[in-house]
Amino acid sequence: MGNGSIPGIGVRQLTKTYGRFRALHRVDLDVAPGSFLALFGPNGAGKSTLLGIIAGLVRPSRGQVFLDGEEITKDRDESLGQRIGVLSYQTYLYDELTVLENLRFYGKLYGIDNHRERIEELLDTVGMASRSGSPVRTLSRGMRQRVALARALLHDPDILLLDEPYSGLDQDALAILKTILAERNKTILLVTHDLARGLESADRVAILNRGRLVFESGTRDLSQVEFERIYRDHAS
Ligand code: ADP
């Protein structure tokens, strides 16, 4: 698939209120097709809410989200879920099922052809092939995260939404994730507290604070030291 067919993400004047509390306030944000944006911000800034709205898991109060130029906030086409892969602290795995059973379940859910081969390939990629028969409840947090990564990639989504994907991963798994993200055949929106990793992998960075987008920049000429200073200035 060439970059031309990968959808971009457009967020316009997005507001989310919980009662009188404003979790997001008129956020405008673009992730260009095939590009990688890392979003930072302190706890409670609204990052997960923003990701949840784009993933279709949270309803916005006002504003719009576009995928591929098409507004998805009003009438959400079920097939959109097929194009999005989500990885967050919530693994969406069933504890009592084995690794293989979990992935087969999602393979069927997504209607993937030849899902056996795809599952084998992904378990290899994330280094979990030898544990395919283990119930998920017997795995460590990091192993579960590896399986969750395989689950998020199973249907080869062209949009990846990642919420703190690094948590619990060991050095090997971090290297695997970095390689996958470097392939650049997807549009990626990453939320993390890890300034160095986010800056290193992304094309653009943005900072959300108290529901507002307060900084956005390309990463090309942005050093880690400079970005740390900017983050301190914008995230307090
Ligand atoms: P972040 O991911 O940046 O830590 P969140 O998007 O999780 O921030 O939360 C933003 C704010 O919205 C927080 O103050 C949080 O308490 C509030 N919030 C999130 N979800 C809900 C909810 N379902 N009900 C009420 N308040 C919520």
Side-chain angles (χ1 to χ4, degrees), residues 124-163:
D124 246 11
T125 303
V126 301
M128 289 297 292
S130 65
R131 299 302 297 267
S132 65
S134 304
V136 162
R137 68 178 151 73
T138 66
L139 302 180
S140 72
R141 165 82 192 137
M143 288 176 181
R144 281 174 212 210
Q145 190 72 346
R146 285 176 183 235
V147 180
L149 177 60
R151 196 219 72 241
L153 297 171
L154 193 58
H155 52 310
D156 195 21
D158 40 27
I159 294 177
L160 259 189
L161 303 176
L162 307 167
D163 196 348

Side-chain angles (χ1 to χ4, degrees), residues 97-142:
L97 299 184
T98 66
V99 169
L100 193 57
E101 286 165 346
N102 264 284
L103 294 180
R104 276 189 191 150
F105 170 81
Y106 282 103
K108 280 184 194 152
L109 190 71
Y110 291 131
I112 298 166
D113 297 336
N114 295 326
H115 63 258
R116 268 166 202 269
E117 280 164 41
R118 177 78 183 140
I119 289 168
E120 270 176 31
E121 175 194 323
L122 275 170
L123 283 178
D124 246 11
T125 303
V126 301
M128 289 297 292
S130 65
R131 299 302 297 267
S132 65
S134 304
V136 162
R137 68 178 151 73
T138 66
L139 302 180
S140 72
R141 165 82 192 137

Side-chain angles (χ1 to χ4, degrees), residues 4-222:
S5 54
I6 300 175
I9 304 170
V11 171
R12 293 289 170 274
Q13 295 287 298
L14 198 66
T15 294
K16 175 67 184 177
T17 51
Y18 293 108
R20 298 181 115 196
F21 179 78
R22 236 175 359 210
L24 289 175
H25 185 64
R26 298 189 160 194
V27 172
D28 284 315
L29 186 69
D30 280 294
V31 190
S35 75
F36 184 154
L37 184 127
L39 179 66
F40 304 90
N43 291 329
K47 306 179 299 295
S48 299
T49 302
L50 179 59
L51 238 63
I53 292 172
I54 297 168
L57 304 168
V58 178
R59 260 179 172 282
S61 306
R62 276 182 296 282
Q64 298 147 321
V65 176
F66 297 87
L67 292 188
D68 218 2
E70 228 172 280
E71 187 181 346
I72 59 161
T73 7
K74 287 213 181 85
D75 301 306
R76 203 174 171 92
D77 186 343
E78 286 301 313
S79 68
L80 274 170
Q82 300 268 12
R83 308 186 68 181
I84 301 177
V86 180
L87 180 62
S88 68
Y89 61 90
Q90 206 188 326
T91 60
Y92 303 103
L93 298 171
Y94 296 93
D95 275 354
E96 297 306 318
L97 299 184
T98 66
V99 169
L100 193 57
E101 286 165 346
N102 264 284
L103 294 180
R104 276 189 191 150
F105 170 81
Y106 282 103
K108 280 184 194 152
L109 190 71
Y110 291 131
I112 298 166
D113 297 336
N114 295 326
H115 63 258
R116 268 166 202 269
E117 280 164 41
R118 177 78 183 140
I119 289 168
E120 270 176 31
E121 175 194 323
L122 275 170
L123 283 178
D124 246 11
T125 303
V126 301
M128 289 297 292
S130 65
R131 299 302 297 267
S132 65
S134 304
V136 162
R137 68 178 151 73
T138 66
L139 302 180
S140 72
R141 165 82 192 137
M143 288 176 181
R144 281 174 212 210
Q145 190 72 346
R146 285 176 183 235
V147 180
L149 177 60
R151 196 219 72 241
L153 297 171
L154 193 58
H155 52 310
D156 195 21
D158 40 27
I159 294 177
L160 259 189
L161 303 176
L162 307 167
D163 196 348
E164 290 295 352
Y166 306 121
S167 58
L169 295 185
D170 61 20
Q171 291 305 315
D172 271 0
L174 287 170
I176 291 166
L177 181 57
K178 192 175 162 186
T179 308
I180 290 168
L181 299 184
E183 279 173 16
R184 284 298 192 275
N185 57 353
K186 302 180 189 310
T187 300
I188 302 173
L189 179 53
L190 161 77
V191 164
T192 181
H193 290 289
D194 192 327
L195 296 191
R197 270 185 225 290
L199 186 65
E200 168 191 62
S201 296
D203 308 308
R204 293 187 71 77
V205 287
I207 300 173
L208 200 63
N209 194 9
R210 297 178 200 175
R212 291 170 195 263
L213 201 76
V214 290
F215 179 80
E216 217 196 320
S217 164
T219 53
R220 186 185 285 250
D221 299 315
L222 190 60

